[in-house]
Amino acid sequence: MAKSPETNGHIDPAKAYPSKSFFIDMLTQDIGLSDCILDLIDNSINSLVVRENLDVMQHLIEGSKAPKIKATIDITFNPAKFTISDNCGGISLSDAQNQVFLFGKPKVDKTHAGLGVYGIGMKRAFFKIGRQIDITSNTIEEQWKISINVDEWESKPDKWEFDFADHQVKKAPVGKTALTVARPSPTIAAQFGMKSFAEILRARIASAYALFITSGLSITLNSHTVTADLPELVESAEIKPVRKLFKEDGVDILIQAGLTPRSDRTPRGWYVFCNGRLVLPANQTDQTGWGLDEFPVFHSKYNHFYGRVCFRSKDVRKLPWTTTKDGVTRESPIYQKALSEMRVQARPVLDFFNRLYPDDPAESEQERESFDKAKPTSAEKAASQPNTPFQAPPPKPRDDVSVKIQYSRPKKQVKKIAAHLQRPNMSAVRVGEHTFDAFYERYCK
Amino acid sequence: MDQPTNSFKQFHYGLRPSKQVERKIIIEVLHRLGRASFDVSEYTYLGFGSVYFVDFIMFHKYLFMQKMVCVEWGEIPKRMKFNKPFKFIELKMMKMSEYISRIKAKAKYLVWLDYDYALDPQNLGDIDGFITALAPESIFLITLDARPKLPKEEKYDTSEMTKEKRLEFTLDIYNEWFRKYLGRDVTLDDIDARDCAPLFYEATIERIKQSLATRPGLEFIQLFHFLYADGAPMLTIGGMLGTPADRERLERKNILSHPFARTDEKYLEISLPPLTVREKHWLDSRLDKNLHLDKLAFELDEEDLLDNYRAFYKEYPTYAEAML
């Protein structure tokens, strides 16, 4: 090719700089408001994990004692302002200077089973929420403050820093961080004004951090404490949920599956956790294998199916979570491995449901009975047992099974039989059984 | 009857001679695995028993296997227990799909899913389960009825249909089940023949490949591919879950080139001429490559039958009534 005479062989390279609006307006499009707030909670929990070497999965895997968390995360919001504050340890000045505000983590922490993965959550969250951001934090030794006027910061395309508004060396008993975002966009303000949003957020927090809350973490939302929400499993001498723990490429994978109590009316499915954080609740889609590879499509007869998969690793990049932590990365070989094991372990559970709801309901009395008899137990308790396959009573040989007979006869005649037996209050069902037994006694024995 | 009887050309189905030959062939090849230092006698045999436990007895006697698990889903727990030939056989009254979740991750197994029905999502699920769960160097065999027969469930009932309607109905269902494995439509040609063994072979092998996708480094080293008919045509596919190094070991010890081994889509047809004991003895004492039909002391219809006998004379079963 001929060289262009003007450039004399030299041409400027194609520019590939990031623009601020990419972070402020674009990345924030891909994530919902509640997921953003969850990202901020993840950050708070992560500093707790790092400071206290906390691992809420450890006791499930080892069968040891559950950790006791003593920390609080408070979230308040109204159409004008959003605040999240915690006493999870605070952020040191050096971390704030060199790490916390970078867009994307250059280095991954491989020493804690934490919740911070990509280094984008907090920035994406505060840009999503509003235009004025104030962060204060103190460790037990020092405190600092950063204020960001997003409009101003955006107008300086080459400035990729946030200035400190304050820094002091000052002792404190507990490390704390508070993030306030003001001047929300009209759509965000409208959401903050809706009661339904608060309820959605509460439900998300209650399930996403259930394992942390049950370990003692307190999360409040507009001054109301959020309680953990997780389905239970049933257990009895006859029915036992499966528990299978294995390791794949440095990731611990714990699979549990069984039946939720009869009284639980919510259709369940698979729940996927990464380092204790729920990333996929009540999944009934092909993300967790339903309808794939001979695993059936979810059906109302599987409403009581509860499967739980917990991934744990100190190398958080190995975990199959997406940047928004509201789903799984399906291509991850570790997730694929888990998926095949989930299929294997869950098949006997689904077989039980198939027996429980056969074409002829009379054939399933035995299954119904053992299901009714099974008592609820927490999945955490079941998790800390040794590995065990799913157990359910084997189907009885057909002869022993009783069948239901249903028919109608004139009320008058039924009453007459009851009167003849000198038991005028006898129910129609009893009359039916009595006459059947009498016939059997007389002619068939 | 306008033709003389032909039934002397058939075996009594109850004796299932081809099945017996199949068992012996499998044993012969598995025996050779010892040459490549795969000690099958240390494996755990897992299979369906039926009250006769034939496979169990043969694998114990000829492969010296001593760890055996029999999974049975019938309603005959007492009969199964009563007929168990050896104390060490563990009897599990449950569905195979349920047992898969109990497979020991580190133990090597010889698994034979000897179904008497055709390929369907249920046994594809079993294949997936085993290929996912079995330890490397385990051996996996599956036998299927090679006819396009749908499961015996009300929704698949074709008994009232004409032949055309039945084929059409089966085709629809097979497309739903198998298209994803074939990467193409199932056609009438696939199912309107003596058997649909090639279709089942293709789907089974693809199922195995897909399940192995989550186990990098492992492949299915096919050893067996048979078709035989004691009554219904039956298809058997089998092989080892191994590494490329395992494959090399098997190659080096000439196991993959064993006359009975089949490593691709071409199957070995097990077909036996029915012979009297006297005929068998006559043939055995004269058998070599120069023996042809015209030199026989008795009639045999086709040269093929003689070739088949030549191939399987060592495994050819003779039955006699015995007073026990």
Side-chain angles (χ1 to χ4, degrees):
Chain A
M1 217 192 288
K3 285 177 183 172
S4 150
E6 299 94 79
T7 59
N8 195 23
H10 171 82
I11 46 169
D12 288 337
K15 293 181 177 65
Y17 306 125
S19 75
K20 288 191 173 179
S21 72
F22 173 72
F23 296 100
I24 299 171
D25 304 318
M26 294 174 214
L27 266 187
T28 49
Q29 296 289 319
D30 297 339
I31 186 166
L33 181 57
S34 50
D35 281 314
C36 274
I37 296 173
L38 263 53
D39 260 336
L40 296 172
I41 301 175
D42 286 343
N43 262 351
S44 296
I45 293 179
N46 198 52
S47 39
L48 198 63
V49 168
V50 173
R51 193 195 57 183
E52 309 221 321
N53 225 346
L54 174 73
D55 183 349
V56 288
M57 285 277 302
Q58 183 65 20
H59 69 292
L60 304 182
I61 287 172
E62 305 283 337
S64 51
K65 249 181 110 189
K68 266 274 156 262
I69 306 177
K70 277 188 212 144
T72 307
I73 300 169
D74 300 307
I75 299 150
T76 56
F77 57 80
N78 57 46
K81 202 170 85 175
F82 169 91
T83 303
I84 177 169
S85 54
D86 68 59
N87 58 2
C88 295
I91 302 164
S92 70
L93 178 72
S94 126
D95 280 355
Q97 284 172 315
N98 302 314
Q99 254 186 47
V100 175
F101 292 96
L102 289 176
F103 291 92
K105 265 191 187 174
K107 256 208 257 157
V108 187
D109 174 8
K110 290 188 181 176
T111 49
H112 299 96
L115 301 185
V117 196
Y118 300 101
I120 190 64
M122 179 183 76
K123 279 79 72 182
R124 185 169 54 186
F126 60 54
F127 284 140
K128 172 105 188 172
I129 296 171
R131 309 293 284 185
Q132 177 61 46
I133 297 136
D134 292 285
I135 305 161
T136 57
S137 186
N138 72 272
T139 62
I140 49 173
E141 288 160 347
E142 57 187 343
Q143 68 176 48
W144 55 263
K145 178 177 180 176
I146 282 179
S147 291
I148 307 163
N149 178 327
V150 178
D151 298 317
E152 244 172 54
W153 186 73
E154 193 176 9
S155 68
K156 297 173 190 155
D158 295 324
K159 184 174 170 61
W160 287 93
E161 290 119 15
F162 300 125
D163 294 324
F164 284 90
D166 180 32
H167 171 246
Q168 290 177 37
V169 179
K170 191 179 170 190
K171 297 251 184 252
V174 190
K176 294 179 180 179
T177 303
L179 168 79
T180 301
V181 189
R183 288 202 288 132
S185 72
T187 46
I188 300 289
Q191 288 197 65
F192 281 152
M194 282 188 286
K195 279 189 185 139
S196 57
F197 177 74
E199 174 48 29
I200 290 169
L201 189 58
R202 186 206 56 77
R204 294 282 314 269
I205 294 172
S207 56
Y209 304 103
L211 292 182
F212 295 93
I213 297 173
T214 50
S215 295
L217 176 68
S218 158
I219 303 180
T220 70
L221 191 59
N222 290 332
S223 309
H224 298 290
T225 303
V226 181
T227 50
D229 174 23
L230 269 187
E232 289 177 306
L233 285 163
V234 294
E235 207 173 37
S236 69
E238 286 178 322
I239 296 182
K240 290 224 173 355
V242 42
R243 189 257 194 201
K244 167 119 189 192
L245 172 72
F246 61 105
K247 218 181 174 103
E248 180 72 19
D249 189 19
V251 178
D252 293 301
I253 306 172
L254 176 68
I255 295 177
Q256 292 176 267
L259 286 59
T260 58
R262 268 275 199 225
S263 55
D264 185 345
R265 312 299 290 174
T266 314
R268 299 300 181 174
W270 284 105
Y271 287 65
V272 182
F273 294 81
C274 290
N275 280 352
R277 154 79 140 95
L278 180 68
V279 293
L280 209 55
N283 189 273
Q284 301 161 4
T285 72
D286 58 2
Q287 278 199 83
T288 49
W290 295 98
L292 291 179
D293 295 299
E294 315 310 332
F295 204 74
V297 172
F298 192 86
H299 181 277
S300 58
K301 71 177 165 186
Y302 304 132
N303 279 355
H304 282 281
F305 173 86
Y306 175 31
R308 204 164 102 152
V309 198
C310 299
F311 295 88
R312 180 190 68 167
S313 177
K314 289 186 170 169
D315 187 350
V316 290
R317 291 270 172 103
K318 284 187 174 171
L319 298 176
W321 43 15
T322 57
T323 70
T324 47
K325 296 207 190 90
D326 62 347
V328 288
T329 45
R330 290 164 70 161
E331 320 68 57
S332 143
I334 287 168
Y335 187 67
Q336 285 297 325
K337 180 77 196 176
L339 210 49
S340 16
E341 196 60 44
M342 283 151 69
R343 281 202 300 274
V344 168
Q345 298 301 331
R347 254 182 104 200
V349 187
L350 300 189
D351 281 345
F352 180 81
F353 285 114
N354 295 336
R355 296 210 300 274
L356 188 65
Y357 303 108
D359 298 339
D360 177 4
E363 284 176 12
S364 67
E365 258 174 46
Q366 186 201 355
E367 280 75 17
R368 274 163 208 280
E369 222 170 78
S370 41
F371 189 12
D372 288 340
K373 270 196 272 171
K375 295 266 180 310
T377 174
S378 86
E380 287 68 61
K381 203 178 140 214
S384 48
Q385 311 288 315
N387 280 352
T388 169
F390 178 71
Q391 283 171 36
K396 269 192 194 154
R398 286 273 154 85
D399 286 359
D400 294 7
V401 173
S402 49
V403 291
K404 264 209 162 71
I405 306 170
Q406 259 189 332
Y407 55 88
S408 46
R409 280 290 174 277
K411 241 185 185 163
K412 263 189 185 170
Q413 292 181 10
V414 175
K415 285 223 149 137
K416 235 176 167 174
I417 296 176
H420 177 80
L421 294 168
Q422 297 182 333
R423 292 171 63 185
N425 293 328
M426 204 176 190
S427 71
V429 173
R430 278 297 303 141
V431 169
E433 287 169 353
H434 185 92
T435 47
F436 180 94
D437 292 346
F439 184 94
Y440 188 85
E441 277 296 315
R442 176 137 190 209
Y443 298 108
C444 308
K445 244 191 169 169
Chain B
M1 212 183 287
D2 43 13
Q3 276 185 358
T5 177
N6 256 333
S7 64
F8 70 90
K9 293 182 181 169
Q10 291 167 13
F11 282 104
H12 183 339
Y13 172 71
L15 302 176
R16 305 180 70 192
S18 304
K19 180 91 204 161
Q20 192 62 5
V21 169
E22 175 182 60
R23 289 187 187 109
K24 290 184 181 175
I25 287 177
I26 290 171
I27 288 171
E28 243 179 280
V29 175
L30 292 183
H31 216 262
R32 289 237 177 162
L33 290 182
R35 287 190 190 179
S37 322
F38 296 104
D39 187 358
V40 181
S41 69
E42 287 296 319
Y43 282 36
T44 302
Y45 178 59
L46 174 63
F48 304 116
S50 99
V51 291
Y52 298 102
F53 287 93
V54 183
D55 309 333
F56 289 79
I57 296 170
M58 291 183 68
F59 288 163
H60 177 53
K61 284 194 176 167
Y62 302 119
L63 288 173
F64 315 114
M65 300 183 80
Q66 311 195 49
K67 286 175 268 181
M68 298 186 151
V69 182
C70 172
V71 175
E72 189 59 56
W73 178 248
E75 287 161 0
I76 44 166
K78 282 187 200 155
R79 265 194 98 178
M80 291 302 296
K81 208 171 163 193
F82 184 83
N83 284 296
K84 208 170 70 134
F86 307 112
K87 191 159 191 246
F88 60 78
I89 299 179
E90 251 184 89
L91 189 58
K92 297 282 180 192
M93 298 303 289
M94 60 176 67
K95 273 177 111 164
M96 200 45 113
S97 58
E98 199 176 334
Y99 192 79
I100 295 172
S101 62
R102 296 162 191 238
I103 290 278
K104 294 192 187 105
K106 290 197 175 124
K108 288 173 201 166
Y109 284 86
L110 165 61
V111 177
W112 190 354
L113 304 181
D114 195 357
Y115 297 111
D116 54 8
Y117 51 90
L119 194 64
D120 65 19
Q122 179 69 27
N123 44 33
L124 279 165
D126 289 349
I127 297 173
D128 174 39
F130 276 110
I131 300 299
T132 302
L134 286 175
E137 299 186 11
S138 290
I139 291 158
F140 176 79
L141 286 147
I142 181 168
T143 298
L144 299 160
D145 187 328
R147 294 170 298 173
K149 291 190 84 174
L150 296 173
K152 282 184 189 134
E153 285 172 45
E154 216 175 303
K155 60 179 165 183
Y156 301 124
D157 186 13
T158 56
S159 57
E160 304 283 302
M161 295 180 190
T162 60
K163 194 192 167 208
E164 284 71 33
K165 197 91 197 108
R166 189 171 64 236
L167 282 172
E168 205 180 295
F169 181 77
T170 307
L171 203 56
D172 277 353
I173 298 200
Y174 273 16
N175 263 307
E176 193 186 304
W177 290 351
F178 305 139
R179 194 192 276 124
K180 60 183 166 202
Y181 295 120
L182 308 180
R184 60 165 175 90
D185 282 349
V186 182
T187 65
L188 213 51
D189 288 342
D190 288 317
I191 63 168
D192 189 17
R194 182 188 70 147
D195 60 72
C196 51
L199 170 73
F200 288 172
Y201 173 82
E202 208 179 329
T204 301
I205 292 294
E206 186 58 28
R207 173 66 268 169
I208 291 173
K209 271 191 196 152
Q210 289 187 18
S211 302
L212 278 175
T214 58
R215 307 187 69 180
L218 278 189
E219 53 180 297
F220 183 66
I221 308 167
Q222 188 185 312
L223 292 166
F224 305 109
H225 186 187
F226 308 129
L227 190 71
Y228 64 89
D230 285 320
M234 302 298 286
L235 168 73
T236 295
I237 301 163
M240 179 187 281
L241 296 187
T243 59
D246 292 329
R247 177 185 286 281
E248 208 180 295
R249 263 158 88 190
L250 294 170
E251 250 162 25
R252 221 174 27 236
K253 298 294 172 184
N254 299 323
I255 294 164
L256 298 182
S257 53
H258 186 282
F260 291 143
R262 287 294 179 276
T263 55
D264 57 19
E265 74 284 353
K266 287 195 249 1
Y267 54 72
L268 169 70
E269 185 156 5
I270 303 175
S271 166
L272 309 168
L275 300 170
T276 65
V277 176
R278 220 175 236 241
E279 287 164 349
K280 176 178 162 42
H281 287 163
W282 190 92
L283 279 173
D284 283 352
S285 60
R286 288 166 180 81
L287 206 59
D288 65 12
K289 60 182 190 320
N290 298 321
L291 187 67
H292 294 292
L293 279 188
D294 52 2
K295 296 186 187 152
L296 300 192
F298 48 88
E299 303 87 356
L300 206 57
D301 281 359
E302 297 156 37
E303 195 74 33
D304 275 1
L305 288 177
L306 188 59
D307 288 342
N308 286 336
Y309 184 73
R310 223 190 309 267
F312 302 114
Y313 76 96
K314 287 201 303 297
E315 293 77 22
Y316 192 101
T318 40
Y319 292 102
E321 185 174 24
M323 298 292 167
L324 297 172

